[in-house]
């Protein structure tokens, strides 16, 4: 499988060079191969790892916890990997439930505003017909 440079990894992952290097430094991604000229070369499997890391970050997992997970992966501690992901899944489910409750409140408010807007339009139309004026300007 061909190796690729940091520019392509950055472009495909959406991460900056600095972020990719930082992830390597703290052990989130494996040590990168350096060419004879010093340029970094990444294995193509790096995208899967970066996508997963981004997914964990996007759902609120702190980098320290991602590091703990990746360290467990490195030593093949499947019980620890499972426990970390299971706990994170529960946290995501709580977030989703909270977001859904918030969405219900927002939808309720929007419905009320829509009813208010429609009732004002209806009142304006009724009033205009009483005065013979066009209610909608």
């Amino acid at each position: 499988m061909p190796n690729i440079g940091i520019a392509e990894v950055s472009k495909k992952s959406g991460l900056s060079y600095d972020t990719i290097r930082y992830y390597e430094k703290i052990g989130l991604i494996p040590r990168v191969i350096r060419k004879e000229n010093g340029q970094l070369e990444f294995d193509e499997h790096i995208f899967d790892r970066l996508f997963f890391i981004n997914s964990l970050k996007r759902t609120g997992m702190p980098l320290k916890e991602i590091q703990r997970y990746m360290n467990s992966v490195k030593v093949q501690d499947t019980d620890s990997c499972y426990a970390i992901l299971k706990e994170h899944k529960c946290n995501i489910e709580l977030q989703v439930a909270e977001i859904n409750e918030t969405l219900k409140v927002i939808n309720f408010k929007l419905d009320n505003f829509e009813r208010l807007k429609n009732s004002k339009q209806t009142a304006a139309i009724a009033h205009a017909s009483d005065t013979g004026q066009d209610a909608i300007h």
Side-chain angles (χ1 to χ4, degrees):
M1 186 168 287
N3 291 332
I4 52 179
I6 194 167
E8 188 173 350
V9 171
S10 176
K11 183 178 176 185
K12 286 186 176 181
S13 69
L15 298 171
S16 70
Y17 290 16
D18 290 337
T19 299
I20 295 166
R21 288 186 188 113
Y22 180 69
Y23 285 178
E24 178 194 18
K25 179 181 176 182
I26 65 172
L28 294 182
I29 60 176
R31 279 284 188 220
V32 179
I33 302 165
R34 288 199 180 268
K35 292 186 202 180
E36 292 172 6
N37 65 5
Q39 288 183 327
L40 300 175
E41 265 192 339
F42 295 84
D43 184 291
E44 283 190 352
H45 293 293
I46 198 71
F47 295 115
D48 293 336
R49 175 73 64 99
L50 290 173
F51 177 81
F52 185 61
I53 291 168
N54 280 338
S55 296
L56 294 175
K57 278 183 52 190
R58 193 173 49 249
T59 54
M61 184 182 275
L63 279 180
K64 289 283 184 198
E65 192 67 6
I66 297 171
Q67 277 181 290
R68 191 166 77 90
Y69 175 82
M70 293 304 174
N71 289 335
S72 296
V73 168
K74 197 180 303 178
V75 297
Q76 298 180 349
D77 182 354
T78 56
D79 291 338
S80 181
C81 290
Y82 181 87
I84 292 167
L85 289 182
K86 182 73 172 178
E87 181 181 349
H88 189 62
K89 177 183 179 266
C90 290
N91 290 337
I92 292 170
E93 289 170 342
L94 286 172
Q95 290 173 11
V96 168
E98 289 172 356
I99 288 170
N100 282 331
E101 286 303 311
T102 302
L103 188 57
K104 285 179 188 176
V105 171
I106 290 171
N107 282 333
F108 175 79
K109 293 287 190 181
L110 288 171
D111 289 345
N112 280 340
F113 282 120
E114 194 66 36
R115 280 192 291 279
L116 181 62
K117 186 171 86 174
N118 288 338
S119 69
K120 283 182 179 178
Q121 262 186 345
T122 303
I125 291 170
H127 178 69
S129 63
D130 290 343
T131 61
Q133 297 176 357
D134 185 10
I136 303 176
H137 303 280

